[in-house]
């Protein structure tokens, strides 16, 4: 009896070691596979050209920021010349008054007032390789839908991450990068809406509005929140006016 | 001895697994956007867009420098700045959509099933292509315009019911806008996939006349 037990002990111990190693080995294999799949596939073209292309995009964005500063400076200079002239003549004063009204209508002056702030953000729980990634991140069409809802609710002035929404504003999406007014923007998107609070909130609360965004918020964790806010600042539009072909009649 | 060797082996595996788990967690970190993750084709499109915008800004800066100098000269010559003010008013009236507008451009006719969200996307695409003034069925799109679904497949523009077929007119550089809308993979191609029975026609126009916004806000 003792002899049998003694002879089976080493075998049993080897078996125990084997079983003990099997589980980590399987886990190891699983992790290696998951790790492999977790790496985004990058083509050799992407590896070679992405860095210089990304650098070029950032350089152009920086250049755009500098050009906007120059443009604002020149607009201020022109305003000052016209304002000074307006003090010297009644006709110039009338024109200056009209210019100020039109600038306000066109979104070329900053506005402060009560309204709502909408926050839109990618889900913070979705993994990079998730199959539902598309549903969990924000798209340019989400922003256009939100702007549409805000105007519908009676908004008087809107900005998206400090980019004033005007008649020439487009929300453009390339890959997963979003541009508003031709400026590169990243989530989270803060949409400042000045307007009658109850009416604007009512438009966002309407179950027929933004159904897709609301469903993705509830299921995929897309960040979407609308809050009442006071004394919101919506900056002036600082881009080009681009009225070169259309003439007033 | 065998027990020690097993223990060392198990420790080594455990350490290795620990490292792997940490690495895995980091690589599966929450999704974050980065230009570095874009394809070269997307980056090239982005660069072209940024470049176009910067050229527009440069053009306007050049123009404004001349206007500032001209206004200064006029004021110093005792002529005031009335001409410059009137020019600015003309530009702003178009930009704010408060005056009728005329110029070259394109017209897009849509005959068949279509909806308000698609119309909003088309408007957005035209603006991105540089449209300076837009109308739908001769109703001017304003900076504050919104679209909604209307009765019997109509589209609401600022609450006004527009029945199909729809004609969208956009004043701007007609060549640029036509290419932007009809390019391979562009919005017209996407619409043709989504609305296969709807007929889309994009035409370059020498002169378009668009009305002012109906109600000023």
């Amino acid at each position: 009896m003792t002899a049998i037990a003694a002879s089976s002990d080493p075998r049993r111990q080897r078996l125990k070691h084997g079983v003990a190693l099997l589980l980590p080995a399987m886990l190891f294999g699983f992790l290696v596979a998951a790790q492999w799949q977790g790496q985004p596939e990058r083509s050799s073209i992407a590896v070679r050209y992405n860095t210089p292309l990304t650098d070029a995009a950032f350089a152009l964005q920086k250049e755009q920021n500098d050009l906007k500063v120059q443009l604002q400076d020149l607009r201020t200079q022109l305003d000052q010349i016209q304002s000074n002239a307006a003090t010297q003549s009644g006709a110039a004063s009338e024109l200056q008054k009209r210019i100020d009204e039109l600038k306000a209508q066109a979104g070329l002056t900053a506005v402060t007032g009560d309204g709502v702030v909408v926050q839109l953000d990618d889900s913070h729980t979705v993994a990079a390789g998730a199959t539902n990634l598309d549903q969990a991140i924000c798209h340019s069409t989400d922003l256009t839908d939100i702007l549409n809802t805000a105007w519908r609710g009676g908004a008087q002035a809107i900005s998206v991450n400090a980019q004033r929404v005007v008649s020439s504003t487009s929300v453009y999406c390339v890959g997963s990068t979003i541009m508003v007014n031709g400026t590169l923007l990243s989530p989270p998107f803060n949409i400042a809406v000045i307007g009658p609070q109850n009416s604007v909130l009512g438009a966002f609360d309407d179950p027929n509005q933004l159904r897709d965004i609301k469903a993705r918020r509830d299921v995929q964790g897309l960040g979407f929140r609308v809050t009442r806010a006071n004394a919101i600042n919506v900056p002036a539009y600082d881009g080009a006016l681009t009225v070169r072909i259309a003439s007033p009649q | 001895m065998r027990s020690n060797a097993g223990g060392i082996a198990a420790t080594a595996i455990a350490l290795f697994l620990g490292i792997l788990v940490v690495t895995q967690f980091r690589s599966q970190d929450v999704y974050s956007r980065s230009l570095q993750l874009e394809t070269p084709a997307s980056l090239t499109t982005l660069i072209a867009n940024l470049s176009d915008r910067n050229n527009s800004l440069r053009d306007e800066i050049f123009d404004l420098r001349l206007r500032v100098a001209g206004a200064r000269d006029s004021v110093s010559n005792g002529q005031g700045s009335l001409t410059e003010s009137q020019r600015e008013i003309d530009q702003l009236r178009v930009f704010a959509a408060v005056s009728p507008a005329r110029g070259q451009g394109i017209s897009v006719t849509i005959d068949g099933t279509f909806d308000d969200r698609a119309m909003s996307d088309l408007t957005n695409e035209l603006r991105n292509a540089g449209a300076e003034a837009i109308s739908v069925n001769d109703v001017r799109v304003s900076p504050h315009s919104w679209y909604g679904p209307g009765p019997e497949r109509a589209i609401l523009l600022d609450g006004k019911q527009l029945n199909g077929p729809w004609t969208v007119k956009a004043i701007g550089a007609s060549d640029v806008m036509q290419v932007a809308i009809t390019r391979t993979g562009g919005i017209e191609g996407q619409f043709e996939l989504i609305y296969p029975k709807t007929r889309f026609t994009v035409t370059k126009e020498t002169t378009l006349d668009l009305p002012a916004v109906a109600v000023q806000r």
Side-chain angles (χ1 to χ4, degrees):
Chain A
M1 183 80 176
T2 312
I4 293 167
S7 68
S8 67
D9 266 350
R11 272 203 305 256
R12 191 176 286 175
Q13 280 206 337
R14 274 201 294 275
L15 189 66
K16 275 170 72 181
H17 281 142
V19 170
L21 285 172
L22 185 66
L23 191 64
M26 282 175 67
L27 194 58
F28 172 75
F30 170 76
L31 279 170
V32 167
Q35 180 72 19
W36 192 264
Q37 287 179 345
Q39 297 295 330
E41 284 182 22
R42 309 287 289 159
S43 72
S44 57
I45 297 249
V47 171
R48 178 178 294 183
Y49 295 114
N50 268 34
T51 300
L53 287 172
T54 306
D55 289 347
F58 282 131
L60 282 167
Q61 182 59 65
K62 186 185 174 301
E63 181 184 54
Q64 187 183 100
N65 298 341
D66 295 342
L67 289 168
K68 282 180 173 177
V69 171
Q70 287 180 48
L71 188 65
Q72 286 312 304
D73 181 48
L74 285 164
R75 280 183 181 151
T76 305
Q77 286 182 41
L78 192 60
D79 279 351
Q80 280 171 350
I81 294 167
Q82 288 168 335
S83 296
N84 291 340
T87 59
Q88 293 162 11
S89 117
S93 173
E94 281 302 307
L95 289 177
Q96 187 57 42
K97 196 177 158 195
R98 182 71 180 131
I99 287 173
D100 292 342
E101 285 170 4
L102 285 167
K103 278 188 168 176
Q105 283 178 297
L108 288 165
T109 46
V111 192
T112 302
D114 296 342
V116 304
V117 173
V118 183
Q119 288 178 310
L120 181 73
D121 198 1
D122 293 336
S123 166
H124 289 288
T125 55
V126 69
T131 51
N132 65 345
L133 179 63
D134 201 41
Q135 294 284 304
I137 62 172
C138 16
H139 300 277
S140 61
T141 45
D142 297 331
L143 281 175
T144 52
D145 287 349
I146 287 169
L147 297 180
N148 194 63
T149 303
W151 291 130
R152 186 173 190 156
Q156 287 147 4
I158 307 179
S159 65
V160 180
N161 287 11
Q163 283 297 316
R164 181 72 174 265
V165 179
V166 294
S167 65
S168 62
T169 294
S170 65
V171 185
Y172 190 60
C173 184
V174 181
S176 64
T177 304
I178 292 177
M179 301 172 97
V180 176
N181 289 340
T183 301
L184 294 172
L185 298 184
S186 303
F189 297 106
N190 287 299
I191 301 118
V193 181
I194 293 176
Q197 288 177 317
N198 289 341
S199 172
V200 176
L201 279 172
F204 282 107
D205 287 342
D206 182 346
N208 292 317
Q209 298 293 319
L210 307 175
R211 278 189 285 195
D212 177 49
I213 292 175
K214 288 170 185 170
R216 283 158 52 212
R217 173 192 59 193
D218 297 341
V219 178
Q220 275 88 19
L222 180 77
F224 174 66
R225 196 170 55 163
V226 184
T227 45
R228 196 183 285 263
N230 296 328
I232 304 166
N233 180 51
V234 170
Y237 173 65
D238 61 359
L241 281 190
T242 62
V243 179
R244 299 192 174 275
I245 290 168
S247 57
Q249 298 299 301
Chain B
M1 188 70 182
R2 179 176 285 174
S3 170
N4 277 349
I8 290 165
T11 307
I13 289 169
L15 269 169
F16 195 49
L17 281 175
I19 291 164
L20 271 175
V21 165
V22 171
T23 315
Q24 183 66 19
F25 262 106
R26 290 181 66 165
S27 76
Q28 288 287 307
D29 204 355
V30 289
Y31 170 80
S32 69
R33 290 168 195 249
S34 161
L35 277 186
Q36 281 286 358
L37 296 176
E38 298 292 356
T39 63
S42 291
L43 284 168
T44 306
T45 309
L46 271 176
I47 285 167
N49 202 299
L50 281 165
S51 198
D52 284 350
R53 292 282 175 166
N54 291 5
N55 285 337
S56 292
L57 284 164
R58 262 188 226 99
D59 287 347
E60 185 147 335
I61 286 168
F62 179 77
D63 191 38
L64 264 177
R65 279 196 182 124
L66 293 177
R67 287 166 62 183
V68 166
R72 275 205 184 109
D73 286 348
S74 293
V75 170
S76 62
N77 293 338
Q79 295 167 326
S81 61
L82 296 183
T83 310
E84 175 48 43
S85 294
Q86 190 56 54
R87 182 179 166 177
E88 188 168 7
I89 286 172
D90 288 348
Q91 191 182 34
L92 287 168
R93 284 171 68 216
V94 174
F95 196 73
V98 296
S99 78
R102 173 176 290 175
Q104 61 156 287
I106 63 168
S107 63
V108 184
T109 55
I110 303 151
D111 192 357
T113 305
F114 206 57
D115 63 37
D116 55 305
R117 292 181 74 185
M119 192 64 88
S120 172
D121 290 340
L122 177 60
T123 304
N124 185 61
E125 194 70 24
L126 286 166
R127 283 173 172 162
N128 192 57
E132 298 175 7
I134 301 173
S135 71
V136 182
N137 287 10
D138 291 323
V139 176
R140 182 76 170 269
V141 179
S142 83
H144 298 178
S145 280
W146 56 269
Y147 293 101
E152 296 172 7
R153 296 183 180 180
I155 292 173
L156 300 180
L157 170 55
D158 296 331
K160 188 174 173 60
Q161 184 177 327
L162 305 177
N163 298 312
W166 298 272
T167 301
V168 182
K169 295 177 185 170
I171 295 178
S174 52
D175 290 332
V176 175
M177 288 194 294
Q178 190 191 37
V179 169
I181 300 300
T182 60
R183 69 185 167 83
T184 307
I187 199 162
E188 187 196 22
Q190 292 171 35
F191 285 155
E192 282 170 350
L193 288 173
I194 300 164
Y195 309 100
K197 291 180 181 171
T198 301
R199 193 167 161 224
F200 299 90
T201 314
V202 181
T203 316
K204 281 201 278 187
E205 306 281 357
T206 314
T207 308
L208 287 169
D209 280 299
L210 273 56
V213 283
V215 181
Q216 283 183 238
R217 294 177 60 171

